[in-house]
Amino acid sequence: MHLKQIECFVNLAETLNFSRTAEYLFVTQPTVTHQINTLEDELGLKLFVRTKRKVDLTPAGLSFYNDMKEILTKTNIAIAKAKHYAHTFESNLAICYEGNVEVRHLPDILKTFNKTFPNVHVYLKMADFREKRNLFTSHDFDLIFAVRESIEDLSDIGFVELFRAKFVCVLPTDHPLSAKPVIAIKDLCEDSLILLDPLKCPTEMARVQKKIQMQCPTATVYFSDHPLITYTMIKGNLGIAVMPDFVCPEDSALAIVPMDIDDTISYGIAWHQKNDRKEIKGFVAITRETYQD
């Protein structure tokens, strides 16, 4: 099994069309057929069901695709990074974060870092908190922006707090509660609530959501996979949400009101202490200075 076979398989799995795959890869349709047949023979698996009218993935093919698309993406990134690294850069810095709203100063940080370390190749990746933690603990990334509680059980980790976040209620601007200076949990009981999926949000967020559910047992609850989905649901009048203030966007259709909740979230940047490369120390220092300013 080689890279061309994987590339051909992944593209065909997404298009389910031999002609379009051949066009995209700049090869002939018989070449695509040969690559797929050879791959299936090597694996001893039937990856596609082919008829005169359509092409479908088999269950084995779907499973193989879900794994191989990530491998192909990482492989292409690795090749591109290696080429840049060979010609231009002296080292590489991999940084993982959850979203542009949380790390709103990242563009300024990168500008300053690039001036100070022009020969360091920076690779950025967005991931939810669970994937981000896994990538960090496996040393695939040098630095992550994260809440303290999500990584405090890890050993040999350095952490600099950039700010402490409070909880706010996010709701439509015409909602009756939008006029209140502060909202208590009990004020939410008559509304539909939009909560983040507990399996996809940090522990402190899940803890506050549990407290809200316990105090508002009769409220209708929707679950969302991501804050951006939550904001769309709020603007669609499906409900209101309680969120950390640092993930709230500037949106004229939304009102953001402080919550009467004592819990706060420590947010910052983390790195592996045994990795003492100067570019890591430099990025942490620039990040801290940027947030202090």
Side-chain angles (χ1 to χ4, degrees), residues 145-277:
F145 287 90
V147 295
R148 183 193 297 270
E149 191 170 338
S150 67
I151 51 94
E152 65 183 0
D153 61 317
L154 303 178
S155 59
D156 299 319
I157 301 298
F159 181 86
V160 168
E161 181 179 281
L162 301 176
F163 57 82
R164 295 197 72 86
K166 296 182 178 180
F167 284 90
V168 295
C169 184
V170 186
L171 59 170
T173 53
D174 59 355
H175 192 284
L177 292 177
S178 66
K180 292 177 70 70
V182 179
I183 295 175
I185 292 178
K186 65 180 181 180
D187 297 328
L188 309 176
C189 293
E190 301 303 318
D191 277 280
S192 295
L193 305 177
I194 305 170
L195 307 180
L196 288 174
D197 184 339
L199 297 178
K200 297 182 179 181
C201 69
T203 305
E204 50 274 79
M205 184 70 214
R207 186 168 55 244
V208 168
Q209 289 187 162
K210 185 68 174 178
K211 183 187 299 184
I212 293 171
Q213 285 182 279
M214 291 178 65
Q215 294 188 35
C216 302
T218 60
T220 300
V221 174
Y222 294 92
F223 285 100
S224 164
D225 286 343
H226 192 277
L228 291 179
I229 298 175
T230 300
Y231 304 138
T232 299
M233 295 172 72
I234 294 170
K235 288 191 283 187
N237 288 326
L238 293 181
I240 63 178
V242 174
M243 308 286 288
D245 57 13
F246 67 91
V247 301
C248 297
E250 295 181 4
D251 192 317
S252 59
L254 299 175
I256 299 173
V257 182
M259 286 292 301
D260 185 16
I261 295 176
D262 293 332
D263 302 71
T264 60
I265 293 179
S266 173
Y267 193 88
I269 187 168
W271 68 96
H272 301 283
Q273 287 185 323
K274 292 182 179 179
N275 193 342
D276 59 354
R277 291 156 50 202

Side-chain angles (χ1 to χ4, degrees), residues 268-288:
I269 187 168
W271 68 96
H272 301 283
Q273 287 185 323
K274 292 182 179 179
N275 193 342
D276 59 354
R277 291 156 50 202
K278 62 180 181 181
E279 54 265 39
I280 292 178
K281 294 179 179 179
F283 192 91
V284 171
I286 290 169
T287 300
R288 178 163 40 191

